[in-house]
Amino acid sequence: MAAPAQLKAVQHHLRTAQEHEKRDPVVAYYCRLYAMQTGMKLDSKTPECRKFLVKLMDQLESMKTELSDNDSITQEVVGNAHIENYALKMFLYADNEDRAGRFHKNMIKSFYTASLLLDVLSVFGELSDENMQHRKYARWKAAYIHNCLKSGETPEAGPTGVDLDQEADEDEGFSGNALSQGGSFRGEGAGGATAPGIGFVGGSGPSGPPSNPSEVHVPPGAHAPANTPADSAKPVPMPRTAAAVEPDLSSGQRQGDVRLSADDFTKAQKYCKYAGSALQYEDVPTAVHNLQMALKLLTTGKE
């Protein structure tokens, strides 16, 4: 459903939700939740906006019921990790294509979608400085490469020369509309081959779209995007050696009469979820660290 003009700012998030309806319902749910929360702040009083937001609320309630057995919906920390992982994998795909000089519509779409999903993370709380920087960079890159290809220019690969103070947005001639199917140009992939349509359908090889971010290969240790705007160097992978387990934690036995509060159990669960998230990226040190934190809390009652 199209958003009223007053809620134009969330139209692309709603489109992203629609695109992920079957591919990843969790992404679709949180995109709509972000759109609803943002829409309430923008305009919840005019009749057309109120009617639109009520429909969106009903849709969210229906989705929440359908996904009631999904931890990413019922547990905020898991949902946060799911959206962040998805966004960063989209970012990494686009960033790798960009650094390799492979400019095409699918990588532009990935940059732009990553920026939208980083917006969505705000439903869980304030964005980290790192995520705010990556969101700004991804949106800038999407606009920059799109405009270069549209005008027949060759984009500059990587972050070299990027001035984020000149971030392109809707007011500067880029709204993301050209990234939908049937845009005004068709980007060239590696070797001059025409890239598939921007809607993430079809395509294979280096210029093909990441139809499912979970299938994107992320180098070990590359659990976050490169320090893009400030540093053009490739990120150095973290060593894959497992961190040593603290001797007093190795047995897993409680130390004395430890009484754990409900908050302690919630924190321990959080550490375990973060560890699971790190393992998705084969980031062993971070996984071990979080598991140690959980074990320490459960055995000593202290963080």
Side-chain angles (χ1 to χ4, degrees), residues 259-270 297-298:
R259 296 181 181 276
L260 300 175
S261 66
D263 189 47
D264 290 330
F265 285 109
T266 299
K267 288 180 179 178
Q269 184 183 56
K270 178 184 70 174
L297 179 59
L298 292 172

Side-chain angles (χ1 to χ4, degrees), residues 2-11 35 38-50 52-53:
Q6 300 94 316
L7 306 181
K8 180 182 176 183
V10 299
Q11 185 60 53
T38 304
M40 292 290 288
K41 297 174 185 176
L42 292 173
D43 187 343
S44 61
K45 295 181 179 180
T46 58
E48 59 179 336
C49 288
R50 186 164 61 246
F52 176 83
L53 291 171

Side-chain angles (χ1 to χ4, degrees), residues 134-265:
H134 290 130
R135 176 181 63 180
K136 195 170 188 180
Y137 178 79
R139 198 157 292 170
W140 187 95
K141 263 294 182 179
Y144 167 69
I145 297 171
H146 166 263
N147 290 332
C148 282
L149 295 184
K150 186 176 181 181
S151 62
E153 299 176 20
T154 301
E156 187 174 359
T160 306
V162 169
D163 180 3
L164 290 186
D165 290 335
Q166 298 178 7
E167 179 190 8
D169 58 19
E170 292 185 330
D171 296 330
E172 295 170 326
F174 178 81
S175 65
N177 289 327
L179 300 184
S180 49
Q181 294 264 17
S184 59
F185 75 93
R186 294 186 65 79
E188 297 292 311
T194 302
I198 199 63
F200 290 143
V201 290
S204 61
S207 62
S211 58
N212 184 347
S214 65
E215 297 172 358
V216 176
H217 174 68
V218 179
H223 58 288
N227 297 324
T228 33
D231 183 5
S232 61
K234 290 266 189 174
V236 178
M238 294 172 60
R240 297 190 65 188
T241 54
V245 178
E246 295 180 28
D248 58 338
L249 299 180
S250 58
S251 66
Q253 298 298 314
R254 288 195 179 190
Q255 299 177 10
D257 185 20
V258 177
R259 296 181 181 276
L260 300 175
S261 66
D263 189 47
D264 290 330
F265 285 109

Side-chain angles (χ1 to χ4, degrees), residues 52-85:
F52 176 83
L53 291 171
V54 168
K55 283 186 178 180
L56 191 54
M57 288 179 194
D58 290 342
Q59 189 175 23
L60 282 166
E61 284 302 315
S62 177
M63 291 185 73
K64 194 170 185 178
T65 300
E66 292 173 6
L67 300 171
S68 60
D69 59 345
N70 191 313
D71 287 347
S72 292
I73 300 298
T74 59
Q75 299 182 48
E76 188 173 285
V77 66
V78 186
N80 190 345
H82 184 103
I83 299 300
E84 185 172 36
N85 289 347

Side-chain angles (χ1 to χ4, degrees), residues 115-145:
S115 77
L116 296 176
L117 293 178
L118 289 169
D119 284 339
V120 171
L121 283 177
S122 64
V123 303
F124 304 105
E126 189 175 348
L127 293 185
S128 67
D129 289 341
E130 185 179 38
N131 279 337
M132 284 193 287
Q133 189 82 335
H134 290 130
R135 176 181 63 180
K136 195 170 188 180
Y137 178 79
R139 198 157 292 170
W140 187 95
K141 263 294 182 179
Y144 167 69
I145 297 171

Side-chain angles (χ1 to χ4, degrees), residues 85-104:
N85 289 347
Y86 197 104
L88 296 186
K89 281 201 171 187
M90 296 287 278
F91 185 108
L92 280 171
Y93 165 81
D95 192 43
N96 288 336
E97 292 292 278
D98 178 37
R99 290 170 185 270
R102 293 189 290 264
F103 306 112
H104 48 86

